Amino acid sequence: MDYGWVYFFSESLKVVTDQDIRDPELYALVNHSTSKYPLPDLDVHMEVQIIVHMGGKGEDSIANLFLVINHKECVASYDLKEVKDENVPLLDPNTLNRRRRLYWNYLWNHPVHVPTPARAIPDASDALTWYFTDNLISGSKSLAPFSKSECEDLTQVLHQMSEPYNNGSVAKTVFVAWLLRESTVLLGATVALLAINDIDEPAKVGATVSALASLGSIIVGVFSIWRHQTNTRTADSVSTPLWAILTFTVSVVAYAMQGITGVGTLHPASVWAIVGIFIVLLGAVIAALYTFSIIWTFQRKSWRLAHWKALWNKRRARNNNPEL
């Protein structure tokens, strides 16, 4: 409890409580509440937080809340069946977003007894990529909770947290849990847009193509900025979001292609149309980057030639006039 969190965890029972069970009366209440819960139904990677509220005297005045935590799927709910492994994929996007936010809020307050989930760093990276992209697309109208510069700073911190020397760090768990707790608010609405069945098929296809086209233009722009950086620290800060945007683009395409197998909400014909447009956009981006690379190479050679020519003329002038 080095970071100020005081709570109690039973590894054998897989029970967490914020109640101060050093008090014999509270210890008895927690034990009594635990006996009423179907703890054997919890999977290996699950636990339950028991919240005891006392409204008076006697057992009838005790109100219990049981928050079930699934560390494998990174979800939490007051309904045990809802967060079982086999039921999590059946949750609709809005519900899944709320359960994820509940989980990260729980982990932010109870970070000491469990390692940082494996999916935490990739999810946080995806969140920052989306915020960085939204800032580039929308500018001052962006609804992202972090500015572009804040996304860059947070991405650098996240990269440091990924280093092996931070494995097992409670600070890492707290930071990532806080970031994802803030991220799931806007990301859930974004993901849900393509998953809502009531939206017409053309609207979904148009939204996906628009996102891919915007990401393509952003990739070209960010690559151009990165290519012209001469300061190493600045170049590193730009190259990190560049790779994040590339992975986010792949994620959008992979999400859309779920319709081919019948898992997603798009018709297979629409998916193939999106894939075809993506290939065209990809070719346009590659052609643009190739063209810019040729221009940059030519400009650099021209600059070097002019630089050496100026030095040569200066040296000749000194040789012709020793007084210079």
Side-chain angles (χ1 to χ4, degrees), residues 153 156 229-238:
D153 293 339
Q156 289 183 353
Q229 296 299 330
T230 57
N231 181 278
T232 303
R233 182 178 178 182
T234 306
D236 290 340
S237 67
V238 175

Side-chain angles (χ1 to χ4, degrees), residues 92-144:
D92 64 85
N94 288 329
T95 302
L96 179 61
N97 179 61
R98 291 194 297 269
R99 301 301 175 259
R100 286 265 162 82
R101 178 172 170 79
L102 195 60
Y103 173 82
W104 295 119
N105 184 69
Y106 166 83
L107 195 63
W108 184 62
N109 288 286
H110 305 85
V112 180
H113 70 289
V114 291
T116 306
R119 66 177 299 159
I121 295 294
D123 283 358
S125 178
D126 287 345
L128 290 175
T129 300
W130 169 247
Y131 292 149
F132 185 87
T133 304
D134 189 61
N135 275 286
L136 288 175
I137 295 175
S138 305
S140 60
K141 297 181 180 180
S142 173
L143 299 177

Side-chain angles (χ1 to χ4, degrees), residues 257-309:
M257 290 187 68
Q258 289 180 341
I260 296 178
T261 60
V263 177
T265 59
L266 292 173
H267 191 274
S270 299
V271 175
W272 285 116
I274 292 174
V275 172
I277 295 174
F278 169 73
I279 293 174
V280 174
L281 292 174
L282 179 62
V285 170
I286 294 175
L289 295 178
Y290 178 74
T291 303
F292 289 148
S293 297
I294 294 176
I295 295 173
W296 295 328
T297 303
F298 177 77
Q299 287 178 342
R300 177 168 295 184
K301 289 181 178 179
S302 300
W303 179 85
R304 288 179 178 175
L305 181 62
H307 177 70
W308 287 110
K309 185 176 181 180

Side-chain angles (χ1 to χ4, degrees), residues 20-263:
D20 189 355
I21 58 175
R22 293 170 294 185
D23 184 328
E25 183 178 355
L26 291 177
Y27 179 76
L29 288 175
V30 171
N31 269 340
H32 177 73
S33 301
T34 302
S35 64
K36 294 183 177 181
Y37 196 81
L39 296 177
D41 293 344
L42 297 175
D43 296 331
V44 177
H45 49 268
M46 296 176 69
E47 63 191 41
V48 61
Q49 180 191 13
I50 296 181
I51 307 169
V52 180
H53 296 281
M54 299 179 61
K57 296 182 179 181
E59 294 182 359
D60 295 337
S61 62
I62 300 174
N64 298 315
L65 289 176
F66 300 94
L67 180 64
V68 186
I69 296 90
N70 184 329
H71 290 292
K72 178 184 177 182
E73 299 291 341
C74 296
V75 290
S77 175
Y78 294 100
D79 183 356
L80 172 60
K81 294 182 180 179
E82 191 175 48
V83 291
K84 297 284 284 186
D85 288 350
E86 62 272 16
N87 294 329
V88 173
L90 303 178
L91 297 175
D92 64 85
N94 288 329
T95 302
L96 179 61
N97 179 61
R98 291 194 297 269
R99 301 301 175 259
R100 286 265 162 82
R101 178 172 170 79
L102 195 60
Y103 173 82
W104 295 119
N105 184 69
Y106 166 83
L107 195 63
W108 184 62
N109 288 286
H110 305 85
V112 180
H113 70 289
V114 291
T116 306
R119 66 177 299 159
I121 295 294
D123 283 358
S125 178
D126 287 345
L128 290 175
T129 300
W130 169 247
Y131 292 149
F132 185 87
T133 304
D134 189 61
N135 275 286
L136 288 175
I137 295 175
S138 305
S140 60
K141 297 181 180 180
S142 173
L143 299 177
F146 306 114
S147 65
K148 187 163 68 69
S149 60
E150 289 174 335
C151 289
E152 293 174 349
D153 293 339
L154 290 171
T155 300
Q156 289 183 353
V157 175
L158 192 65
H159 179 71
Q160 294 176 359
M161 291 295 180
S162 304
E163 297 295 333
Y165 57 79
N166 277 318
N167 290 342
S169 170
V170 177
K172 172 184 176 180
T173 303
V174 173
F175 171 75
V176 176
W178 166 80
L179 180 60
L180 288 171
R181 187 189 65 164
E182 299 300 319
S183 300
T184 50
V185 177
L186 184 60
L187 281 179
T190 305
V191 174
L193 175 64
L194 297 177
I196 297 176
N197 294 323
D198 293 338
I199 296 180
D200 293 337
E201 189 84 2
K204 292 181 181 180
V205 174
T208 305
V209 172
S210 176
L212 291 174
S214 299
L215 288 170
S217 63
I218 291 171
I219 289 172
V220 174
V222 174
F223 181 81
S224 301
I225 296 173
W226 172 74
R227 184 68 173 75
H228 280 82
Q229 296 299 330
T230 57
N231 181 278
T232 303
R233 182 178 178 182
T234 306
D236 290 340
S237 67
V238 175
S239 62
T240 300
L242 174 61
W243 287 109
I245 292 171
L246 289 173
T247 57
F248 182 72
T249 304
V250 174
S251 299
V252 173
V253 176
Y255 181 83
M257 290 187 68
Q258 289 180 341
I260 296 178
T261 60
V263 177

